[in-house]
Amino acid sequence: MIRNVVFDIGQVFVRLDDRSFRGLLTEKGVDASDLNVLLERVSFNDHETGKLHGIALMERFAGLASMPVSAADLHAKWIDMFELQPRMVDLAHRLSERCRVYLLSNIGDLHWAHLSREYRFHQIGHGALLSYLAGVMKPHEGIYVEAERRFALEPAATVFIDDRAENIVAAQARGWHGIVHSGYDTTLAELRALAVDC
């Protein structure tokens, strides 16, 4: 019986569109065509594991530019990349009335502050484990171990919903159930297949 439902945030509760942010960098002389290469250049994983504060991250992005750009302008674009998925948020709220609901996300301080302020994500469910506070990111086993410890999760009674297959595989290796999220309808059907009352 599933008693715990754990949600990722990005591409689950919000869709991300970073074109405006990368567009500003491109205007300032940065090759932002490949997002993964761009993030590697600023040691993005350090940000999402809490080793690099968000303002320092913006300064690193600014340091890549051949023309002046302020960290404040970059910050404004950085937080302006989210499209809320109301049906998924509503699902989480509904589920929290019947079982335990938690958030487990690779996220940095700036995005979490924005999502909490704009969409009250900190009020969803019964707790959140965020990579920048945990010091470790999915799919590393350590973040799942910490979630189990912090939220008293029994793996066999827990289902994790995430858009990335590798994160689900890592959760399943701990004995969790997993749903690779591609949309509201398919996730709802998979929850019901697990006999989750939603």
Side-chain angles (χ1 to χ4, degrees):
M1 180 179 176
I2 300 296
R3 292 190 295 275
N4 311 298
V5 183
V6 182
F7 288 90
D8 180 29
I9 295 174
Q11 308 298 0
V12 177
F13 290 153
V14 287
R15 291 212 179 104
L16 281 73
D17 183 349
D18 61 15
R19 287 175 295 181
S20 180
F21 179 75
R22 288 194 290 139
L24 175 59
L25 287 172
T26 300
E27 288 172 16
K28 301 301 181 179
V30 179
D31 179 3
S33 57
D34 186 320
L35 178 62
N36 290 328
V37 170
L38 178 65
L39 295 179
E40 196 171 298
R41 291 179 68 191
V42 295
S43 302
F44 184 65
N45 284 2
D46 285 350
H47 172 61
E48 292 213 324
T49 53
K51 300 178 186 75
L52 182 69
H53 189 276
I55 298 304
L57 177 68
M58 295 303 106
E59 290 169 351
R60 285 193 184 180
F61 280 122
L64 301 177
S66 58
M67 290 175 274
V69 58
S70 72
D73 287 343
L74 287 167
H75 176 244
K77 296 289 188 183
W78 183 249
I79 62 173
D80 185 28
M81 61 172 67
F82 299 107
E83 178 189 350
L84 186 67
Q85 303 300 297
R87 291 199 296 171
M88 287 303 300
V89 174
D90 289 346
L91 173 62
H93 284 302
R94 284 202 314 274
L95 286 170
S96 68
E97 297 173 0
R98 301 177 178 89
C99 53
R100 305 294 288 178
V101 168
Y102 303 99
L103 309 185
L104 177 63
S105 184
N106 291 346
I107 194 168
D109 58 327
L110 298 182
H111 277 170
W112 178 246
H114 175 75
L115 294 172
S116 295
R117 182 173 57 250
E118 293 297 315
Y119 304 125
R120 317 301 289 175
F121 279 6
H122 63 291
Q123 295 181 347
I124 294 175
H126 304 92
L129 180 57
L130 313 169
S131 63
Y132 84 95
L133 295 175
V136 63
M137 294 170 62
K138 299 172 296 180
H140 191 284
E141 182 184 28
I143 199 165
Y144 303 95
V145 172
E146 177 59 17
E148 291 167 13
R149 185 198 68 78
R150 187 173 300 193
F151 304 133
L153 302 180
E154 180 187 343
T158 301
V159 60
F160 182 39
I161 300 165
D162 193 295
D163 66 299
R164 299 180 70 92
E166 63 267 32
N167 295 339
I168 294 299
V169 168
Q172 289 171 329
R174 297 285 312 165
W176 301 21
H177 299 271
I179 296 171
V180 179
H181 177 75
S182 60
Y184 173 82
D185 292 329
T186 55
T187 291
L188 188 65
E190 292 194 54
L191 284 168
R192 287 175 173 162
L194 290 168
V196 178
D197 181 13
C198 51

